[in-house]
Amino acid sequence: MKKKALSALLAAVVALSLAACAAQTETPVETTAATTAVTAAEPKTEPEYPVETVTVGTTAAIETAVYGEYNFDMLASGVSELPLVYQDISGEFHPLLAEFTTEDAQTWTYTIREGMTWSDGEAVSAEDILFTLEYDQANGSANFESQTDADGKTTEAKYTGYTISQDKASISLTLATPNVRELSNMTSFRVMPKHIYEGKESVTEEEARITCGPYVLDSFSKESGTLTFSVNPYYPQKPNVKQIIYRLFGNEDTMYLALQQGDVDMVWSYSAGVAGTYQDVLAGNDSVTLVNVAAANAPAVLAFNNAKGLFVDENLRQAVSYALDYDAFKTYFGSAYAQIPNRGFVPETTVGYKQTEKLTTDQAKAAEYMAAAGYSEKNANGFYVNGDGQIASFTLTVNAAKEAHVGYAEMIKNQLEQFGIQVNLDTVDKDSYNAKTSNKFSENNITMEAAIYGYTAAGMGMGNGLGSIYVDGGHAVQGGCQVFDEAFQNILSEMKTAKTIAEYYEGAAKLQDYYAAHMPLIALYWDNMMLAHSSRLENVTVDAVFGLNNVSNWFTITEK
């Protein structure tokens, strides 16, 4: 499939659809003096809300629409499940559910903003924050106590203690070590209502939908693929939008078509923008406005298992890094703003970014690394073989539900097999993918040899930042690259104990140098995030983590 061909096909579908609509004629309403007089006599009143309804299109798969379902939590973070803080597109943090202060980057105090209330009328308190941390602790997170898994691997406790103010409005959390970037972990931390969950093994669906944002979930229909949110009457401020409806689409083609036809007002995917294959079509439609945002995510990642399989040998990781054609990835999948990444992996918007060598295609150099790994000859089929006659071959795991990711995998297969490395695609469903690529879902038994990932901006910033949670083999949830190297762990320790931003930058530079030297993973291209909304809307606000689907947006957005 060619990028331009897809754009042309989508444009043709839209043109036919719009032509059909234009062919329908409307019967004019007869106007009389009486009706004109009545109309003229009616006083003009300001609407109760500047915007009656905003409809958001998304391809997120939602099954239950209750707290704890990942896709729903990400969507609801923009309307009903308020994180503690938010980050704007310039990288600055601001209060959302709570104000924040720290004097030493080790003890952080969060104070619930005045008037914050659960959707059942109960006030939000600092005890809700503590309860959520303790609830997560009981379910596997090492918040106040270290956790040791069945394999004997220990995750040290994040906090050494806490205090709650007498009025229960503030909680001070003391980290085991200072973290100048702790607020990045709080952009996706959502609080649970203690008065609902405490002392219960389970809660009802209605109870699980008690939230503290400006909106509450009115209805969810899996069959029709809609979620409807209305204004929370207990929220201390009144938003500009009366009702927000989310429409769930099975694929991007129909979602973008709906945007162009005015059936949805914006499109949203967590920590991702409009795919480059659709941007040309949308840019040519006057009814759609595109918003270009510098991104801190990594939309296309080839991650190697550094502990099992072919890519334990660093020479083979290096060989792949020089065999791939990055200009092809950038051109085919990226937007006009896409760039060829550095060997240091993280994009320029990253806190602590350092300039490292650009990724380049150099097949002669790739062949040298193959020889260093013991693969100096090719067989009759053109694949490298070692001294024992074994083919240089690996399995590449990809989530079948993500169309772009499957495209990345197919391009990698084509390019590497032309070079001489056999690639077997393992295209699997979401659950099977997670069970092969994540410490949490594999129960610390990651089996993939290599996999396609897309890292969110929030994930890139978590822990020590720079995507390290995806590389660190000891991370409780991620850890796909399975790196346990002592040099890598020492760099993480240096970043973790940084007491000033300057000290953190020093560690961040070392981590990028480590990525560049050892290639535990590869960014296939960097890109800005292109967001899309109806041209009837203006004064939109963009969030660095949640894009257009963010709480602040519903208080600024207006109609033209």
Side-chain angles (χ1 to χ4, degrees):
M1 181 179 67
K2 297 296 184 182
K3 178 176 177 181
K4 290 184 178 178
L6 177 60
S7 297
L9 177 60
L10 186 57
V13 173
V14 174
L16 288 172
S17 176
L18 293 178
C21 291
Q24 298 176 2
T25 58
E26 296 183 0
T27 303
V29 177
E30 184 179 355
T31 303
T32 66
T35 57
T36 303
V38 171
T39 302
E42 291 177 352
K44 292 183 179 181
T45 58
E46 291 297 324
E48 184 181 6
Y49 293 87
V51 182
E52 188 71 17
T53 302
V54 167
T55 302
V56 183
T58 180
T59 55
I62 294 176
E63 301 291 329
T64 62
V66 296
Y67 181 91
E69 181 187 8
Y70 178 81
N71 283 342
F72 176 72
D73 286 343
M74 295 303 100
L75 180 149
S77 293
V79 279
S80 59
E81 295 181 7
L82 240 59
L84 291 189
V85 304
Y86 75 92
Q87 185 180 19
D88 64 28
I89 57 176
S90 66
E92 297 295 320
F93 294 96
H94 306 272
L96 201 53
L97 179 63
E99 307 278 351
F100 51 85
T101 59
T102 185
E103 294 182 358
D104 57 6
Q106 185 162 10
T107 297
W108 291 80
T109 299
Y110 302 97
T111 302
I112 302 299
R113 297 176 71 187
E114 187 175 352
M116 300 306 294
T117 307
W118 294 104
S119 55
D120 63 353
E122 289 287 326
V124 181
S125 77
E127 289 189 334
D128 292 315
I129 297 177
L130 176 60
F131 176 81
T132 305
L133 292 170
E134 291 176 334
Y135 182 93
D136 290 344
Q137 172 79 43
N139 287 277
S141 296
N143 285 327
F144 297 108
E145 297 176 8
S146 299
Q147 295 272 8
T148 302
D149 62 26
D151 297 326
K153 185 168 66 175
T154 298
T155 302
E156 298 298 330
K158 178 177 180 177
Y159 301 106
T160 60
Y162 66 87
T163 58
I164 290 182
S165 63
Q166 190 171 0
D167 63 2
K168 299 181 181 179
S170 300
I171 184 169
S172 296
L173 295 165
T174 301
L175 297 166
T177 55
N179 184 357
V180 294
R181 299 180 55 263
E182 176 62 9
L183 290 177
S184 65
N185 295 319
M186 294 304 179
T187 59
S188 57
F189 177 73
R190 293 166 298 280
V191 180
M192 303 169 67
K194 177 182 177 180
H195 68 284
I196 296 297
Y197 285 85
E198 188 175 32
K200 298 178 183 177
E201 292 186 4
S202 63
V203 296
T204 66
E205 185 178 273
E206 182 180 359
E207 289 174 325
R209 291 176 177 169
I210 292 175
T211 50
C212 59
Y215 296 89
V216 292
L217 180 62
D218 263 350
S219 64
F220 166 59
S221 172
K222 184 179 177 181
E223 291 71 25
S224 63
T226 57
L227 300 93
T228 302
F229 288 81
S230 61
V231 171
N232 176 5
Y234 295 105
Y235 199 75
Q237 290 90 36
K238 181 180 176 181
N240 283 1
V241 184
K242 183 178 182 180
Q243 183 184 65
I244 301 174
I245 299 173
Y246 293 86
R247 284 185 55 190
L248 310 180
F249 290 86
N251 59 72
E252 292 182 327
D253 287 347
T254 54
M255 180 178 71
Y256 289 124
L257 183 60
L259 175 64
Q260 293 185 94
Q261 294 181 325
D263 296 328
V264 300
D265 298 307
M266 62 180 64
V267 292
W268 176 77
S269 177
Y270 174 53
S271 197
V274 176
T277 48
Y278 297 96
Q279 290 180 17
D280 290 345
V281 172
L282 297 181
N285 191 315
D286 291 339
S287 66
V288 176
T289 297
L290 295 178
V291 182
N292 178 36
V293 181
N297 65 337
V301 179
L302 171 60
F304 303 110
N305 188 329
N306 289 237
K308 293 178 185 176
L310 192 72
F311 295 111
V312 170
D313 190 333
E314 182 180 311
N315 287 307
L316 294 174
R317 302 197 300 269
Q318 298 285 3
V320 170
S321 77
Y322 284 105
L324 292 175
D325 180 357
Y326 302 101
D327 188 65
F329 285 99
K330 175 179 77 75
T331 302
Y332 186 86
F333 295 106
S335 74
Y337 301 92
Q339 300 178 58
I340 293 175
N342 294 346
R343 298 179 71 82
F345 182 68
V346 301
E348 297 170 349
T349 52
T350 303
V351 175
Y353 169 81
K354 172 189 176 180
Q355 182 72 43
T356 56
E357 181 187 350
K358 280 282 184 189
L359 287 163
T360 56
T361 303
D362 187 336
Q363 300 223 342
K365 200 164 188 176
E368 291 176 7
Y369 278 110
M370 292 298 293
Y375 294 88
S376 55
E377 303 291 335
K378 289 185 178 181
N379 64 14
N381 294 321
F383 293 125
Y384 279 97
V385 293
N386 62 15
D388 298 326
Q390 294 176 319
I391 294 175
S393 174
F394 72 95
T395 298
L396 178 59
T397 300
V398 60
N399 185 344
K402 299 190 174 184
E403 297 173 28
H405 289 199
V406 175
Y408 305 153
E410 290 173 344
M411 184 171 282
I412 288 171
K413 176 180 173 68
N414 290 337
Q415 291 184 6
L416 291 185
E417 290 193 341
Q418 287 178 21
F419 168 70
I421 298 176
Q422 186 179 60
V423 181
N424 303 304
L425 295 187
D426 179 29
T427 307
V428 296
D429 61 49
K430 178 187 70 174
D431 292 338
S432 299
Y433 173 86
N434 288 337
K436 294 182 177 186
T437 61
S438 158
N439 275 337
K440 178 179 179 179
F441 295 104
S442 71
E443 297 182 348
N444 295 304
N445 184 32
I446 289 176
T447 57
M448 65 84 173
E449 287 186 273
I452 299 297
Y453 292 78
Y455 297 157
T456 67
M460 289 285 284
M462 284 183 178
N464 296 295
L466 289 87
S468 58
I469 67 170
Y470 302 105
V471 181
D472 181 9
H475 191 267
V477 178
Q478 300 295 341
C481 291
Q482 295 289 280
V483 174
F484 301 96
D485 180 67
E486 183 178 358
F488 173 76
Q489 296 297 331
N490 287 340
I491 294 170
L492 293 191
S493 295
E494 180 178 337
M495 296 169 70
K496 188 175 181 180
T497 56
K499 294 182 179 179
T500 66
I501 197 66
E503 290 178 357
Y504 176 81
Y505 279 11
E506 289 179 11
K510 292 178 183 178
L511 184 58
Q512 289 164 87
D513 287 340
Y514 180 92
Y515 288 162
H518 302 287
M519 299 306 293
L521 73 177
I522 299 172
L524 300 174
Y525 66 92
W526 290 336
D527 206 350
N528 284 11
M529 275 204 303
M530 194 70 75
L531 310 177
H533 64 81
S534 167
S535 296
R536 78 178 181 90
L537 301 173
E538 59 184 352
N539 298 317
V540 299
T541 297
V542 177
D543 182 292
V545 176
F546 295 103
L548 291 173
N549 183 49
N550 69 85
V551 170
S552 299
N553 195 21
W554 314 128
F555 288 85
T556 63
I557 199 167
T558 57
E559 289 182 317
K560 291 182 179 177

